[in-house]
Every structure is written in structure tokens, then in C-alpha cells.
Amino acid sequence: MANLANLYDVSKCTACRGCQVACKNWNQLPAVIEPFKGNYQTHEDTNGDTFTIIKFFESEDPVDGLKWDFIKRNCMHCLDPECMKVCPKQAYTKTSWGATLHDPDKCIGCQYCAAACPFEIPKYRKREDVITKCTMCADRVEAGMQPACAATCPAGALTFGDRDELIQVAEARAKFLRANGFPRATIYGKLELGGLNNLYVLTDTPDKFGLPVNPKASGNVTFWQDWVQPYFGWLIPLMLTASATSFVTSRLIASKNGEHGEHGEGGHE
Amino acid sequence: MALIPEYRDDVPRVERFNWLARFSHWGHTVTFLLCLFTGLVLFLDGVNWLAAIFGGYRGAGLVHRVSAVGMTLVIGIGMVFGFKGIIEWIKDLLRFGMNDIIFVMKFPLEFLGFPVKIPPQTRFNGGEKGNSMVTPTCVFLLVLSGYIMWFPAIFPVGLVRVSYWTHDIAMIGATCMVCMHAYLGSFHPGSGESFWGMWKGTVRADWAQHHHAVWYEETYGDKKAE
């Protein structure tokens, strides 16, 4: 099955946050009340009970003047997900059509994935001691529907469908935007980190929207997973074997040399 | 051949480790082994039978955290009440000299059981000095990285990522040392009385004189400082 993706067009979004409500509604997520932080953003970031969020960026540009940007953030459903690599319980799976799913029944709350994700998406739900994140509404998609956020978006900023087709739509849209007042308009998610199933049309460079310009798997995580975990641990059985060898040889040599068993005398020298 | 030499109280004995050193040592032993086996549950990826011993993965996680706090307490108690002893320990480690280098070089033969001549050693021989430097360093790193991973929300994510491999490498380092240390402190024929030194606190005077001549002379022998 072809990869299905969710395309989010920044230029069409009105920040109504209907997607946030639809997501909470479909996934039966309780409200999370956070204190007012001086802007319209509902939460500081996604959290254990909030899988998607509209982030607000206010900035003053000497050329463009005051700018007010918003962007929908949620799991990127990477084609090659880091979370899946580090999970010690194999709680992460990839569906045949591209969603990265996390099984809370297998999760043991170690939170390795939360730190490994280059987008810091998996979040810890303390009351259940599990990690949670966006599921791309796999249950809806597999029943022939769209994800709740895409289905509800009144501005048409969210489109769900075949990834290859959406990339063409996104590229055409970015081209249009570049010719119509957004010279730095670009797309995001086509090549980043080997490809994402969450695609963006951005009116400006990714850093303006808090997205990593060149997301990479952390070298620390790669070193840990590809070197320390598979190889370094063999030193331990090596040491055990050395001790076992010594246990045998030292006794063999002692009996051969005819030494008596009184080590208390310090007779080994 | 007996596994360890018989404990004899009919011969002159001298104190090797006071009660606080022994409490600290065995406190570390219990908490370290609990932490090790509960931690291996995650390190080895999917050893369900090991997790089952501790009541599943969450049970193992709980035991790991409780033991970690226990270890922190043991360290704290040792640092506060045994500060003088730790300073003396460090002072002895800093006496790393030619006798220790010769010890370490000849040790592989001694380890396998060949008779070798070893120069007089201070309170801790060259190998013990190595263990005394590597293992506490690893434990320090384990504790530090462990708490960072326990409370990732209050630390920068980069530090949490560093802690993951630091915790693993420190665990491997400490466990390798512990494997050797446990064997050399008990069943190795050349180690003799070492086990009783840590279990009962005293060792035979003749053994101490033979294995740690410098220490024995300075503490109990002719060179004893008045």
C-alpha cells in the first residue's frame, strides 16, 4: 500500500484549533489546563493528553514588519522512526501505509523514545506511566475515513492522502506562494530525516516555525544504540570467563606444584 | 581445595576494614546487584524471564529506583560518617608507585595461578588501586546519569541523550570490575584472607604482613607512627 500522509498548509491555516478539539474528541483525551503564557498557544507543547497543537510565533521583522505565524505540530510519522529503534519493548510499529503506532500495552514508561525523537514528540503520561503520541488516527484511516484533524479542518489547510501525490500538490503550492508574496515559501517533510509522513507547506524557512532545519538522529542515540548496546556489553561475559578460567587454572597449577591449601600463610608467591 | 581459607581466631589478627567500610561495601553490593539485574532487563532487550523475577518490567523499574535511592543513601552515609576513611583511601591510591606498576604487570600470571614474586604493597595493591579508581568513578557516573534519566523533564534533552550511553558504559565498566573483584575477593587462591577482611573486618597478621607489607609495617609493625 502506498504511503499515506497528512499535508498541512501553513498559508491556509487560520489557527482556529478545530484540529486540536477534534483530536481530543476522537482520542478521548481529557482537557489539560495550563496557565496563560502571554500568547494564544493553548499548551506549551504537545503532552501526554494532547497529541496535536497549534504553535504561535510572533516576531518583528525589519522588512516584513510584525509577523504572526502558526503551525500545527504532532507526530511526523517518519519513514525511518528513531523512537522505534530505541524502544526496548518493541512497542512501536509501522503500519503498511506509513503511520508510526505506539502500543501503550507494551510500553513500560522508560521514555527512551521521548529523548531519541529529533522532534521531541512522544510524551510521558504520568498517571498511566506510558508514552503517548499522535496515531494518525490509524483506526479511522483503516475504516476508510480521514484522520480527525484533517476531516474537521474548515480552512482546508489539512489534506490527507497519497504521499507522492501530496508532495506534488505541496510543491505546486509552494511555487505559487513564492510568486505571490512569500519568496521563502518551501515544503518540509519530503526529504527531511529520510522522509516524513507529515508534510508541510511553509510560508517561510522552517526555523521560523520552530522546526529543525536539518533534523538528524542524535549522534548520542546512534552511538548508544549501534555501538554500546550491541557490542560493549560482551566485555562482561569476557570477564566472567576470565574469572572461571583462573578458578580452574590456579587450582590446577597449585595442585601440580604440590602446594598445600593454606592460603592464609600467603603461600602463593 | 577449599573455596576460601578457613576463618581462624586462634592466630593473631589485625583490623583491615572498620564497620563503616564494611557497611558501605556490603550496602553497595546489595544495591548494585539489584540495580544491575533490574537494569539488564532493559539493556538486554526483551529478557522477559529476568523481568518476571521482579514482577514484570514495571516491577523491575520500581526495584531499580528503590535500590538506586538505597545506593545513594549508602554513598551519603559513607561520605558523611566515613569522610576520614575516604581521605585515607584516596591518599593510599595516590601512592601509586613502581611496586604497583610491577604488580599490575605481573598480575596476569598471578591471576592464572602461576607463582610470581611481587614487591611489597601498601594497604591496597596495584590491582585494588585500579579497582578503587574505576569502580567508584563508574558508580558516580551511574548515579548522576541515572537521576538525569529519572527526571528528564528538568534537564536539557541533550544531557538526557548523553546519560543513556553514559549509564550503559558505566554499568559495563562497573560490572566488569565487580566480576573480577567478586572472584578475586573470594575464590581466587592467591587472595587468601581478603574475604575475611571485608566480612569480619580482620585478617591474619601474617597474611597482612605478607600481602601488604608496607601497610602492615606502617600500621601495626615497626614503622607504626605514634
Side-chain angles (χ1 to χ4, degrees):
Chain A
M1 198 173 185
N3 256 332
L4 298 179
N6 218 358
L7 171 67
Y8 169 79
D9 187 342
V10 160
S11 66
K12 290 181 182 171
C13 178
T14 63
C16 74
R17 290 168 291 191
C19 51
Q20 279 188 239
V21 177
C23 176
K24 287 256 179 189
N25 186 32
W26 180 258
N27 292 298
Q28 300 279 294
L29 300 169
V32 180
I33 312 293
E34 286 185 7
F36 181 63
K37 288 274 172 65
N39 72 3
Y40 282 88
Q41 199 166 309
T42 50
H43 307 89
E44 199 157 347
D45 200 353
T46 54
N47 55 54
D49 290 312
T50 310
F51 297 168
T52 189
I53 184 180
I54 301 287
K55 286 196 172 181
F56 288 73
F57 294 93
E58 289 161 50
S59 62
E60 208 172 335
D61 190 282
V63 181
D64 302 334
L66 188 69
K67 285 187 73 187
W68 197 27
D69 295 316
F70 8 92
I71 186 171
K72 179 181 188 287
R73 292 298 302 272
N74 52 266
C75 176
M76 298 293 204
H77 298 278
C78 312
L79 299 185
D80 185 18
E82 278 296 297
C83 51
M84 204 160 133
K85 279 184 218 159
V86 300
C87 181
K89 285 293 290 159
Q90 286 80 43
Y92 283 93
T93 47
K94 230 27 211 164
T95 64
S96 59
W97 48 274
T100 307
L101 292 187
H102 173 260
D103 182 352
D105 291 338
K106 284 187 183 167
C107 181
I108 53 169
C110 71
Q111 302 171 55
Y112 285 175
C113 53
C117 175
F119 303 103
E120 295 175 43
I121 287 298
K123 291 282 165 14
Y124 183 58
R125 183 186 280 175
K126 202 175 173 188
R127 67 172 186 281
E128 286 171 3
D129 189 24
V130 290
I131 285 289
T132 61
K133 69 164 197 70
C134 160
T135 63
M136 218 183 202
C137 286
D139 45 354
R140 289 174 61 97
V141 173
E142 279 164 16
M145 292 187 281
Q146 293 189 10
C149 52
T152 207
C153 181
L158 278 168
T159 324
F160 183 74
D162 182 85
R163 183 169 186 268
D164 298 334
E165 285 172 21
L166 286 180
I167 287 173
Q168 289 182 5
V169 171
E171 278 173 340
R173 177 69 181 167
K175 201 176 167 189
F176 172 82
L177 288 171
R178 279 197 292 272
N180 288 278
F182 298 99
R184 290 182 299 277
T186 183
I187 66 166
Y188 191 86
K190 182 188 177 186
L191 300 171
E192 277 77 11
L193 211 71
L196 313 171
N197 278 331
N198 201 55
L199 301 165
Y200 286 101
V201 172
L202 303 173
T203 50
D204 209 328
T205 48
D207 56 301
K208 295 284 192 305
F209 297 90
L211 287 168
V213 177
N214 183 20
K216 273 197 295 243
S218 164
N220 283 310
V221 174
T222 312
F223 172 62
W224 171 48
Q225 284 294 314
D226 295 352
W227 293 96
V228 179
Q229 289 233 328
Y231 302 117
F232 286 33
W234 287 103
L235 264 174
I236 297 169
L238 196 71
M239 288 295 166
L240 284 172
T241 312
S243 295
T245 309
S246 160
F247 185 87
V248 175
T249 57
S250 56
R251 280 166 171 76
L252 280 178
I253 291 168
S255 62
K256 203 174 173 184
N257 291 355
E259 280 184 15
H260 54 93
E262 292 290 315
H263 327 296
E265 308 284 349
H268 72 279
E269 283 185 15
Chain B
M1 189 179 272
L3 285 176
I4 51 172
E6 184 193 356
Y7 179 78
R8 288 173 62 180
D9 45 16
D10 56 337
V11 292
R13 303 190 73 87
V14 292
E15 185 185 59
R16 181 134 170 90
F17 293 111
N18 64 19
W19 70 269
L20 191 68
R22 283 179 283 145
F23 163 80
S24 186
H25 177 270
W26 295 110
H28 274 92
T29 312
V30 172
T31 52
F32 180 82
L33 290 179
L34 281 172
C35 277
L36 175 64
F37 287 110
T38 49
L40 283 177
V41 160
L42 282 194
F43 182 75
L44 296 176
D45 268 17
V47 274
N48 294 338
W49 59 271
L50 187 58
I53 295 172
F54 301 97
Y57 283 85
R58 286 214 168 74
L62 183 67
V63 174
H64 196 78
R65 284 169 165 86
V66 170
S67 312
V69 172
M71 189 188 280
T72 315
L73 287 175
V74 171
I75 294 170
I77 292 169
M79 296 267 254
V80 172
F81 296 105
F83 188 71
K84 214 175 136 213
I86 291 176
I87 296 298
E88 278 170 15
W89 188 16
I90 293 171
K91 271 188 189 163
D92 196 69
L93 300 185
L94 294 176
R95 289 176 77 178
F96 196 92
M98 192 47 83
N99 57 341
D100 295 303
I101 294 169
I102 293 170
F103 179 96
V104 173
M105 284 169 71
K106 285 185 172 179
F107 184 71
L109 288 174
E110 148 84 21
F111 181 68
L112 291 172
F114 293 102
V116 285
K117 186 88 190 131
I118 280 172
Q121 298 290 307
T122 62
R123 182 170 184 189
F124 297 103
N125 65 37
E128 288 168 338
K129 283 194 178 83
N131 183 35
S132 299
M133 286 183 239
V134 175
T135 310
T137 307
C138 287
V139 168
F140 173 73
L141 290 173
L142 280 167
V143 171
L144 201 68
S145 56
Y147 282 108
I148 292 172
M149 292 191 291
W150 190 350
F151 305 104
I154 57 172
F155 295 100
V157 68
L159 195 60
V160 179
R161 286 172 184 157
V162 171
S163 297
Y164 284 145
W165 60 259
T166 306
H167 205 70
D168 279 4
I169 289 181
M171 177 279 284
I172 292 163
T175 308
C176 286
M177 296 312 280
V178 165
C179 288
M180 299 298 259
H181 172 70
Y183 167 67
L184 286 168
S186 56
F187 302 147
H188 185 54
S191 305
E193 284 279 294
S194 319
F195 178 78
W196 297 117
M198 197 45 97
W199 189 252
K200 299 253 186 185
T202 59
V203 291
R204 290 169 58 151
D206 57 347
W207 178 88
Q209 199 168 14
H210 186 87
H211 283 248
H212 299 276
V214 178
W215 170 68
Y216 182 82
E217 293 303 330
E218 285 173 359
T219 318
Y220 303 105
D222 302 336
K223 293 180 193 162
K224 184 179 175 184
E226 292 302 331

